[in-house]
Amino acid sequence: MSSQLEQLRERLAEVADINQAAEIAGWDQLTMMPPRGGPQRAEVLGTLEQISHDKFVSPEVGRLLEGARSELEAAQQTSPDDDDWAMVTHTQREWDKARRVPTALAGELARASSLGQEIWVQARRENDYSAFAPVLEQHLELKRRYVDCFEGFDCAYDALLDDYEPGMKTAEVTRLFAELRDELVPLIDEVTQHELDDSIVHGHFPEDAQRRLVREVIELQGWNAEGWRFDDAAHPFATSFGASDVRITDRWEEEYFPSSLFGGMHETGHGLYEAGVAPELMRTPLGRGVSLGVHESQSRLWENMVGRGRPFAEVLAPKVSDIFGGQLAGVSAERLFRAVNRVAPSLIRVEADEATYGLHIIIRFELEQALIDGQLSVSDAPEAWNAKYQEYLGIDVPSDAQGIMQDVHWSGGLIGYFSTYALGNLIGGQLWKQVHSEIADLDAQLAAGELGGLREWLRVNVHQHGAKYLTDDLLHRVVGTGVEVGPFVQYLKTKLSAVYDIALV
Amino acid sequence: MSSQLEQLRERLAEVADINQAAEIAGWDQLTMMPPRGGPQRAEVLGTLEQISHDKFVSPEVGRLLEGARSELEAAQQTSPDDDDWAMVTHTQREWDKARRVPTALAGELARASSLGQEIWVQARRENDYSAFAPVLEQHLELKRRYVDCFEGFDCAYDALLDDYEPGMKTAEVTRLFAELRDELVPLIDEVTQHELDDSIVHGHFPEDAQRRLVREVIELQGWNAEGWRFDDAAHPFATSFGASDVRITDRWEEEYFPSSLFGGMHETGHGLYEAGVAPELMRTPLGRGVSLGVHESQSRLWENMVGRGRPFAEVLAPKVSDIFGGQLAGVSAERLFRAVNRVAPSLIRVEADEATYGLHIIIRFELEQALIDGQLSVSDAPEAWNAKYQEYLGIDVPSDAQGIMQDVHWSGGLIGYFSTYALGNLIGGQLWKQVHSEIADLDAQLAAGELGGLREWLRVNVHQHGAKYLTDDLLHRVVGTGVEVGPFVQYLKTKLSAVYDIALV
């Protein structure tokens, strides 16, 4: 007779396998599936979610959790550093939440997510918000029913946020974002007084050449064909089916190569996190990144702190010179560094610079709360969106396709997700500061294209733990505090001082 | 309260969804997955198979089958043409068989299948039979345990054959193959006395040009980007995730374009079958082709009877002339027709001509029976393989990679499958004769590149029924008899008479 812990592991491995099957089908939907496959795919994803949910929330898992806990307590194996104990406590937390959600609702959420994404693709292409509005309405309806499953959250949005950033509270995010906004607004005001010529990164950069560039750069990061794939997607994303099968995607804008370049580095950052999780955590609920905030800290650290940093420009400049030639022939690292760091309020979140990016997130954070609370109707949402873009970024939104429909998230019911991008910037700032204090010659390594030191530091300090420590615990282990705004803002000021040749303090 | 039939449908739809998820993951493994993803993928496929099996063989499904049967009997809805009745009887047959197989064994079979394919790829590449032998040994072991689950089959091989060709018996196949061999051997002897110059189809045909050719031709067949995909695979195959998401694959040999051309037409033939199943049968056990024999009748009919036929050469000749030029510039339809129909004993089954093809199958049919019965050991199998190639085809096998390891099937545990290729030829011959009697100007249509008439005839007579009728019943409906050798042999003699300009009777 195997122990309760072993039986629990078996049960959870089965659930992990079903979830992975759903992720494979989801990846396929976004990269490979022909258009007419959508409705049947939604059925498959709905059924898998129901089965996975059913198996996970079963009373049997509850009993095994209790039994495994007793076994570990008896063996005095209750340190948060113990893999088994962490697995049991983490799973208990997820089980307590999941078992409140009826299986039928879990399936409905998955089905609506899959169908909504297909509708969004077409609605955005045709700039037809009226086609998208029912999707958003349905997701809000479902999410309200989902929120109603829980007790003990301070507000509806807390229940949603907790799915993406376990343990984080809306009030805490509100506080952090207020502090961030108070730093960003004057910074942007100051910086945008100055001119910066970024014309060298605009022009015509053939897709094939961009593919070559991105492939060379992500291979420096650690991408390899033995255990990774690299495909096209309308809205780039990363996923993984175990640490040895990591999939990233990218898209190609021929008039602006930084989009695919830094987008590729971003997704590879996500992929490295998944690829770095300790093998012994695989097929358990700890076998992936702990939260989207920590995940985004990895992607945005690689995208911006490495990719758009001054040291790595030494690597990128000769590459873009070789690969694109023309206006970039012989471009200096300094010139390239400046051009890819121009601060300018813009329409599209994923193309935003690091300073204005946070404002795009704050807009979504505020709108999501108003939508879920019912203070804002779906029909009024585009107007509210446009008003906030005018208020926060001072720009006019010319169309819903470039406005409220620009992101894939809401089409898939991902409400509460956006905040994690800005949290990721903050966490990334904290890790960036820490790794510099621990690896003295890090900048020299980056300038030489040696990215292994950074990758290994991240693997040891963050990746290997998977979901073993909640964000706050993980950060305390690595940097000694919870999420803070200071390091990111300081990083940004230092960088923009160099970019604009001004003194920001 | 919904009827027992409705409840049964819901249960079976769920099972169909899980199976589809496994097929998506399986397609991904063969086309997209990075090499190191193999072990984890095997876990996913094993778990899905266990869950699907568990759900399907549950006593609940047995009770619902009984209840649904009573409801239909009460409503006098018991005609074999009734969709519901056919669904219940077909499912009862599958359930009776599946419930004898322990869930753990079902999962083991799926896991071994997934792992074996990965090992085969490498073993074949390195011509290392010793790496492949344990895979074959394990599959035989598992298959023997599988066979032991059943009673009432005349021999072990019957139980395996029945999975691919429900209702077919080894004794019947043996009889058909003896008759076929007695026709083929003298035919091959006669034909190979004559010379045929096929040098125009050998040379250098760039992959890109081949892709263009295949794409043009399969679009004539009915392939379209809205509901199909077309990818590369080491061993071409077709699959579908519902009628609106059909996936075919092909491979590219630059020195011989007929391989990709007719291979692509073959897989599209499979795909058209899946795409043509009536929508109301989807997500039921009737929602796909009835057997591999009927499936192969579709693929081989399109590949050989259409693709390598004299009428369609009128379409192909100008295409290969345009696309490849060089030695094919201005090639006549007659010359091309002859070159792609040269009869010559050869090493590789998938490249064999229509006359010798049957012998490749008969070799496998005999070896599989000896292996499963234990009369032939895995270690002696390569020698036995080579001896049979010498005996039946008069050729030496230079390596195991080109010999016993040439096909993917055994690596995935598909034992009992090969016979269906030859059965498919026979059934294809019967359908080919029938469609010509019903569409008087069929050859003129094919010569004009109008393939819609044939496709529609196949859809109405074969495809739409899915698995509603067993092979024998389906054939009786369409051609008035069970499987017969005569029409295929007559077709072949007529064709080869024209190819070689000789009189064969």
Side-chain angles (χ1 to χ4, degrees):
Chain A
M1 186 59 189
S2 56
S3 71
Q4 307 262 300
L5 179 66
E6 279 161 31
Q7 290 176 56
L8 177 65
R9 275 189 180 283
E10 270 170 42
R11 267 316 259 268
L12 296 175
E14 203 180 35
V15 172
D17 288 340
I18 303 166
N19 292 343
Q20 200 165 97
E23 282 152 14
I24 294 166
W27 173 86
D28 182 88
Q29 175 171 7
L30 293 175
T31 57
M32 299 289 155
M33 189 185 76
R36 284 177 28 217
Q40 174 52 25
R41 184 58 50 93
E43 296 293 346
V44 168
L45 291 169
T47 295
L48 289 180
E49 173 56 29
Q50 281 183 328
I51 292 170
S52 157
H53 188 265
D54 250 0
K55 286 205 177 275
F56 183 59
V57 303
S58 69
E60 170 74 0
V61 168
R63 274 193 300 275
L64 290 172
L65 276 168
E66 237 172 82
R69 177 183 292 267
S70 301
E71 286 171 0
L72 292 171
E73 281 168 349
Q76 295 190 303
Q77 219 183 310
T78 58
S79 151
D81 295 332
D82 184 90
D83 281 357
D84 293 331
W85 183 255
M87 199 266 281
V88 167
T89 51
H90 174 101
T91 306
Q92 184 77 53
R93 187 185 194 286
E94 289 198 339
W95 186 80
D96 287 338
K97 194 168 183 191
R99 79 193 174 86
R100 294 170 168 273
V101 181
T103 293
L105 177 58
E108 251 185 288
L109 284 161
R111 242 173 245 114
S113 171
S114 176
L115 285 172
Q117 287 171 57
E118 298 297 310
I119 294 168
W120 166 76
V121 169
Q122 195 171 342
R124 189 176 72 146
R125 194 189 307 127
E126 295 168 3
N127 189 34
D128 181 4
Y129 182 74
S130 71
F132 179 64
V135 169
L136 184 52
E137 193 72 76
Q138 189 199 7
H139 281 313
L140 289 167
E141 214 286 286
L142 288 169
K143 286 292 181 187
R144 284 188 203 110
R145 280 167 55 198
Y146 178 74
V147 166
D148 285 344
C149 299
F150 308 106
E151 289 164 10
F153 284 110
D154 294 340
C155 62
Y157 198 75
D158 267 5
L160 302 179
L161 184 61
D162 190 79
D163 282 346
Y164 308 110
E165 192 57 53
M168 182 59 78
K169 302 285 175 206
T170 309
E172 170 74 354
V173 177
T174 304
R175 188 187 65 71
L176 289 166
F177 282 7
E179 187 180 342
L180 180 63
R181 191 183 52 229
D182 288 349
E183 294 280 2
L184 291 179
V185 169
L187 183 65
I188 294 166
D189 278 351
E190 163 68 21
V191 166
T192 51
Q193 313 273 320
H194 304 266
E195 291 292 318
L196 194 151
D197 176 12
D198 67 349
S199 60
I200 55 162
V201 297
H202 296 271
H204 181 77
F205 309 97
E207 186 181 309
D208 276 1
Q210 290 193 41
R211 283 182 191 277
R212 210 158 68 240
L213 173 65
V214 175
R215 179 70 180 256
E216 282 185 19
V217 171
I218 65 177
E219 285 188 1
L220 290 178
Q221 283 180 267
W223 187 99
N224 66 77
E226 288 299 298
W228 295 59
R229 278 191 64 88
F230 182 30
D231 296 278
D232 295 355
H235 197 293
F237 69 100
T239 187
S240 74
F241 317 133
S244 299
D245 186 354
V246 181
R247 315 250 173 139
I248 62 163
T249 59
D250 207 347
R251 65 178 162 199
W252 312 96
E253 292 179 19
E254 293 207 315
E255 68 283 7
Y256 184 66
F257 75 86
S259 173
S260 67
L261 171 60
F262 300 121
M265 293 188 74
H266 177 104
E267 302 306 339
T268 304
H270 282 303
L272 287 168
Y273 192 178
E274 300 284 317
V277 174
E280 55 271 24
L281 301 183
M282 284 297 138
R283 297 181 79 217
T284 81
L286 305 184
R288 51 196 342 168
V290 61
S291 76
L292 290 186
V294 179
H295 240 302
E296 288 300 323
S297 79
Q298 299 306 296
S299 56
R300 294 191 60 84
L301 183 151
W302 283 102
E303 171 190 358
N304 291 319
M305 295 172 185
V306 178
R308 286 190 167 91
R310 180 64 183 82
F312 197 60
E314 298 290 342
V315 177
L316 289 179
K319 279 192 194 293
V320 300
S321 169
D322 279 3
I323 288 175
F324 299 124
Q327 71 205 45
L328 288 165
V331 66
S332 72
E334 182 66 20
R335 178 102 197 268
L336 182 66
F337 165 64
R338 292 182 183 219
V340 298
N341 283 295
R342 178 165 181 260
V343 173
S346 65
L347 266 174
I348 307 294
R349 175 183 62 85
V350 295
E351 293 165 9
D353 60 84
E354 287 175 89
T356 60
Y357 187 90
L359 300 180
H360 290 264
I361 297 304
I362 291 167
I363 290 171
R364 286 157 178 77
F365 176 63
E366 291 174 357
L367 289 174
E368 282 184 343
Q369 291 176 75
L371 282 165
I372 202 77
D373 291 345
Q375 287 158 11
L376 175 63
S377 71
V378 167
S379 57
D380 290 342
E383 205 179 313
W385 178 284
N386 299 351
K388 284 208 186 277
Y389 264 75
Q390 185 54 250
E391 181 192 347
Y392 283 66
L393 288 155
I395 56 170
D396 288 326
V397 176
S399 76
D400 292 334
Q402 293 168 285
I404 193 167
M405 288 194 293
Q406 67 178 258
D407 293 307
V408 68
H409 304 65
W410 290 349
S411 77
L414 302 177
I415 295 164
Y417 183 123
F418 280 117
S419 329
T420 66
Y421 288 112
L423 294 174
N425 280 339
L426 303 184
I427 297 166
Q430 294 172 276
L431 295 174
W432 193 239
K433 184 178 166 193
Q434 187 65 30
V435 66
H436 274 86
S437 75
E438 295 187 25
I439 304 180
D441 68 337
L442 181 60
D443 284 350
Q445 291 182 20
L446 300 180
E450 294 162 11
L451 307 186
L454 172 61
R455 180 176 63 241
E456 187 57 13
W457 188 89
L458 291 169
R459 190 188 69 74
V460 169
N461 285 280
V462 180
H463 304 173
Q464 67 165 334
H465 302 307
K468 191 167 159 182
Y469 305 108
L470 284 187
T471 306
D472 196 61
D473 296 334
L474 180 73
L475 274 178
H476 272 92
R477 282 175 60 94
V478 184
V479 305
T481 70
V483 182
E484 288 190 338
V485 171
F488 172 71
V489 169
Q490 195 47 57
Y491 147 81
L492 198 56
K493 284 182 177 167
T494 306
K495 182 182 206 173
L496 294 179
S497 297
V499 168
Y500 281 89
D501 215 0
I502 55 178
L504 295 161
V505 276
Chain B
M1 186 59 188
S2 55
S3 71
Q4 307 263 299
L5 179 66
E6 278 162 30
Q7 290 176 55
L8 178 65
R9 274 189 181 282
E10 269 171 42
R11 267 316 257 270
L12 296 175
E14 202 180 35
V15 172
D17 287 342
I18 302 166
N19 292 343
Q20 199 164 98
E23 282 151 16
I24 294 166
W27 174 86
D28 182 88
Q29 174 171 7
L30 293 176
T31 56
M32 299 288 156
M33 189 185 77
R36 283 176 31 217
Q40 174 53 24
R41 184 58 50 94
E43 296 293 346
V44 168
L45 290 170
T47 295
L48 289 180
E49 173 57 30
Q50 281 183 329
I51 292 170
S52 157
H53 187 265
D54 251 359
K55 286 205 177 275
F56 183 59
V57 303
S58 68
E60 171 74 359
V61 168
R63 274 194 301 275
L64 290 173
L65 275 168
E66 236 172 83
R69 177 184 291 268
S70 302
E71 286 171 3
L72 291 171
E73 281 168 349
Q76 296 190 302
Q77 220 183 311
T78 58
S79 151
D81 295 332
D82 184 89
D83 281 357
D84 292 331
W85 183 254
M87 199 267 281
V88 167
T89 52
H90 174 101
T91 306
Q92 184 77 53
R93 187 185 194 287
E94 289 198 339
W95 187 80
D96 287 339
K97 194 168 182 190
R99 79 194 173 86
R100 294 170 167 273
V101 181
T103 293
L105 177 57
E108 253 186 284
L109 284 161
R111 242 174 245 114
S113 172
S114 176
L115 285 172
Q117 287 171 57
E118 297 298 309
I119 294 168
W120 166 76
V121 168
Q122 195 170 343
R124 188 176 72 147
R125 194 189 307 126
E126 295 167 2
N127 188 35
D128 182 3
Y129 182 74
S130 69
F132 178 64
V135 169
L136 184 52
E137 193 72 76
Q138 189 198 8
H139 281 312
L140 289 167
E141 214 291 281
L142 288 169
K143 287 292 181 185
R144 284 188 203 109
R145 279 167 56 198
Y146 178 73
V147 166
D148 285 344
C149 299
F150 307 106
E151 290 164 9
F153 283 111
D154 294 339
C155 61
Y157 199 76
D158 267 5
L160 302 179
L161 185 62
D162 190 79
D163 281 347
Y164 307 110
E165 192 56 53
M168 182 60 77
K169 303 286 176 205
T170 309
E172 170 75 354
V173 177
T174 304
R175 189 187 65 70
L176 288 166
F177 282 7
E179 186 181 343
L180 179 63
R181 191 182 51 230
D182 289 348
E183 293 279 2
L184 291 180
V185 169
L187 182 64
I188 294 165
D189 278 352
E190 163 70 21
V191 167
T192 51
Q193 311 275 318
H194 303 267
E195 291 292 318
L196 194 151
D197 176 13
D198 69 348
S199 60
I200 54 164
V201 298
H202 297 273
H204 182 76
F205 309 97
E207 187 181 309
D208 276 2
Q210 289 193 40
R211 283 182 192 278
R212 209 158 68 240
L213 173 65
V214 175
R215 180 71 180 256
E216 282 185 20
V217 170
I218 65 178
E219 285 188 0
L220 289 178
Q221 283 181 266
W223 188 98
N224 66 77
E226 287 298 299
W228 296 60
R229 277 191 64 88
F230 182 31
D231 296 280
D232 295 355
H235 197 293
F237 68 101
T239 189
S240 74
F241 316 134
S244 300
D245 185 353
V246 181
R247 315 251 172 137
I248 63 164
T249 59
D250 207 345
R251 65 179 162 199
W252 313 95
E253 293 179 19
E254 293 207 315
E255 67 282 8
Y256 184 66
F257 74 86
S259 174
S260 67
L261 171 60
F262 299 120
M265 292 188 75
H266 177 104
E267 302 306 340
T268 305
H270 282 303
L272 287 168
Y273 192 178
E274 300 285 315
V277 175
E280 55 272 24
L281 301 182
M282 284 298 138
R283 296 181 81 217
T284 81
L286 305 184
R288 51 194 342 168
V290 61
S291 76
L292 291 186
V294 178
H295 240 302
E296 288 299 323
S297 79
Q298 299 307 295
S299 55
R300 294 192 60 83
L301 183 152
W302 283 102
E303 171 190 359
N304 291 318
M305 296 172 185
V306 178
R308 286 189 167 94
R310 181 62 184 83
F312 197 60
E314 299 289 342
V315 177
L316 290 179
K319 280 192 193 292
V320 300
S321 169
D322 278 3
I323 288 175
F324 298 124
Q327 70 205 46
L328 287 165
V331 66
S332 72
E334 182 66 19
R335 178 102 197 269
L336 181 66
F337 165 64
R338 292 182 182 218
V340 298
N341 283 295
R342 178 165 180 260
V343 174
S346 65
L347 267 174
I348 307 294
R349 174 184 63 85
V350 295
E351 292 165 10
D353 60 84
E354 287 176 88
T356 60
Y357 187 89
L359 300 180
H360 289 264
I361 297 305
I362 291 169
I363 290 171
R364 287 156 176 77
F365 176 63
E366 292 173 356
L367 288 174
E368 282 185 342
Q369 291 177 74
L371 283 164
I372 202 79
D373 291 344
Q375 287 158 9
L376 175 64
S377 71
V378 167
S379 57
D380 291 341
E383 205 179 314
W385 177 285
N386 298 351
K388 284 206 187 280
Y389 265 76
Q390 185 54 250
E391 182 193 346
Y392 283 66
L393 288 156
I395 56 170
D396 287 325
V397 176
S399 75
D400 292 334
Q402 293 167 285
I404 193 166
M405 289 195 292
Q406 67 177 258
D407 293 305
V408 69
H409 304 66
W410 290 349
S411 77
L414 302 177
I415 296 165
Y417 183 125
F418 279 117
S419 329
T420 65
Y421 288 112
L423 294 174
N425 279 339
L426 303 185
I427 297 166
Q430 294 173 276
L431 295 173
W432 193 240
K433 184 178 166 193
Q434 188 65 29
V435 66
H436 274 86
S437 76
E438 294 187 26
I439 305 181
D441 68 336
L442 182 59
D443 284 350
Q445 290 181 20
L446 301 180
E450 293 162 12
L451 306 186
L454 173 62
R455 180 175 63 241
E456 186 59 12
W457 187 89
L458 290 169
R459 190 188 68 73
V460 169
N461 285 281
V462 180
H463 304 172
Q464 67 165 335
H465 302 307
K468 192 167 160 183
Y469 304 108
L470 285 187
T471 306
D472 195 62
D473 296 334
L474 181 72
L475 273 178
H476 272 92
R477 281 175 60 95
V478 184
V479 305
T481 70
V483 181
E484 288 189 339
V485 172
F488 173 70
V489 169
Q490 196 47 57
Y491 148 80
L492 198 56
K493 285 183 178 168
T494 306
K495 182 182 206 175
L496 294 178
S497 297
V499 168
Y500 282 88
D501 215 359
I502 54 177
L504 295 161
V505 276

